Amino acid sequence: MKSPFPNPSPQGRGVADACYRALRLPSLVRRGRGRGFFLLLLFCPFITFGQEITNELTDSLAIIPQQENGLLPDSIPQPLDSVRHRNLDHIQAPVLEIDTTKKINYWHITGRTGEIIPFRPDTFLTDYFNRTNVEGQSVAMAYLGNLGLPGESRVFFEREDRSQFIFLDPYSAYLKTPGKFNFINTKIPHSNLSYQQAGSKNVQEQRLQAVLAINIGKKLNLGFDADYLYARGYYKSQSAKHLNWVFFGNYLSDRHQLHVFINPFEFTNAENGGITDDDYISHPDRLDSRKMSSRDIPTYLSSNDNTTWNSIKGKQAYLNYHYNLGFERETEYEDEEGNKIRQFIPVSSIIYTFDYKDSRKNFYTSDSTLVDKYYKNVDHFNNGRKVNDSTSYWSLSNTFALSMREGFSEWAKFDLTAFLTEDVRSFTLMDRTNIPNDSTLWATYIGGELAKRTGEILRYNAQGSFGVLGDNLGDVNLSGNIETRIPVWGDTASIKASASIKNLAPTFYENHYHSKYFWWDKNFGKVKKQWIGGTIDIPHTKTRFSLGVENVSNYIYFDEKGYPQQHGSDIQITTARLDQNFKFKALHWDNQLVYQSSSNDSILPLPQFAAYSSLYIQFKIAKVLTIQMGANVHYWTKYYAPAYEPATQQFKLQREVEVGNYPLISGFLNCHLKQTRFFVEYYNAGAKFISSPPNYFSLPHYPVNPTILKLGLSVDFIN
């Protein structure tokens, strides 16, 4: 089959706040109430191409925003809370207030009901270079060594529940979803261009990202986001190519709130099965490989110019619409002509969310003989044909919700929302033997949310969904959190407690998968999870401490042979995390430390300790150029890290090779000049002086890239 690479080569969320600070200006959106519904009709043609129906039963993933209330210092690059799951559709945060004095406003939305959450985009200088690396996605990441390849966090509470299309899960660091996307309202055209590259031509990695957003009036914003990644890799048959587009828009007025998100994507990567002998890296003297190029090291699934590939293509089309019911109230503020400004007060909202997804996976090779040998000539089709496995799915969900809004009256101290979700999913396998219901599943969920998102002393959020009909009958997903603030050392600290209870049916692919090398039909029971945790934030000392415990019953994992199994007994996972930054004059020392334990390390192996530390000096030149210069290190203790299975793209158990106890050290120069950030990084510099031995493996038989020079640039074009 033809290579998908240009040069195939083995080298190669709207409610007014009680304070309403924006009342000094004329009313934002009182006119044109009838246009919102017209806009809804206008956008519908872009959505209706999905004749098929919805994805996951869980909501789109939502990331905790970088808070602007001072709880988290800017010098901490706002990591995901490592003691709570990232797939909560609700997040305790202030409701959106469009501050018309600002040139640009950013926000996220919750996937199911489209609530708006203020957000600051990634404009931090600190750690900018690290966030462009795969390692920067977590304190400790396990991946195949090259940019763009599959991976997962070594920190258990940073892992999401498996999605309906489990083959996309290893690309979570690159996926774009409505819940993680930055929606924008801007007075002026706004664009950002980011570029990073490393290595020479034959092994070069490149990533180009571009965002353009423009407002058409005060209410309507349109834009696109492009992400192109092409990394040839430092080892044979390790190339990765991503093409990820987002076309987005939002319309915000008193009565109408609309968000649209359309995302076609394609992820393609070569598979090499790992290097054939780890001694090429750890003990080069044994194999006389000290002078060998990394390209010369043999790998399991590469021979001459023949390459094995995995390709995933798909798209998501998402629309959320709020119609707000309310009244106008006269305020004490006046406009420029001396007239009292009237403020629209939303009382309730009618909400509709449409979410369509589809994906198709292909696993193929130009050398079936080599791959057959790797899989010991297994052939579940018994026809001897070449390797060209495929599977696909589509999903469609429709959510209808009614919400009473917080703050419209003195007694309305909270948001109260009720919703109904209809969800349909269809799956295609190469052989439908033993597949029930023609591979089409459906479910009906009901649920609600109680939330207090404003207030200086107490905020809380509780949400639940229940499967009442269909294939997910009996599913339960309950979660909640509560936060308070206390004075500490002349500042304000935040204390937050969270908990969740889940009873979830296994996904289709956990129960069924048919291909040449892997074939299973299971009947797993529901996975049960109970979790409780808490976080304390002390901005004065730049300290953030988290603690969480989860009990998992009927845990589904992939065994040493790459097949899914279910563990009937309970497994307890405990995690503690400390983010602590220090500063003395120009010297900065930023740290992220994680301790975790698993009660069954043979089924759920985890590194007991993981850390990220960055030591640097920060100074200015000519009062305009900020420079950070120093070194950082990623470290985790040795453990039996899961192995990667190329044919299914899942991580499976193994007890042969331990990975870890090696500091991945890099030196960097990080700079900021006006609207520009740029860096120079000497990646994996430790490989030059650590020789006892240099075990820089990320996963068994998958080393990270050797010492290389990386460059990156990000420019905001705000006129």
Side-chain angles (χ1 to χ4, degrees), residues 60-130:
S60 299
L61 307 179
I63 287 184
I64 285 185
Q66 300 171 5
Q67 300 182 18
E68 300 188 65
N69 52 20
L71 294 181
L72 301 178
D74 285 359
S75 56
I76 298 178
Q78 313 303 335
L80 291 166
D81 191 338
S82 63
V83 298
R84 61 101 179 97
H85 288 297
R86 289 182 290 177
N87 60 349
L88 300 180
D89 185 45
H90 61 276
I91 293 174
Q92 185 167 346
V95 297
L96 175 70
E97 177 181 313
I98 294 290
D99 184 352
T100 56
T101 64
K102 293 175 62 176
K103 290 183 178 180
I104 305 177
N105 288 272
Y106 301 89
W107 62 90
H108 288 330
I109 61 174
T110 57
R112 173 170 279 163
T113 58
E115 297 296 332
I116 294 177
I117 301 167
F119 179 78
R120 275 189 294 163
D122 179 13
T123 57
F124 291 116
L125 170 63
T126 301
D127 240 21
Y128 167 54
F129 70 96
N130 185 52

Side-chain angles (χ1 to χ4, degrees), residues 277-289:
D277 193 331
D278 292 353
D279 281 351
Y280 282 108
I281 302 298
S282 56
H283 299 91
D285 292 336
R286 296 180 185 176
L287 301 176
D288 194 24
S289 62

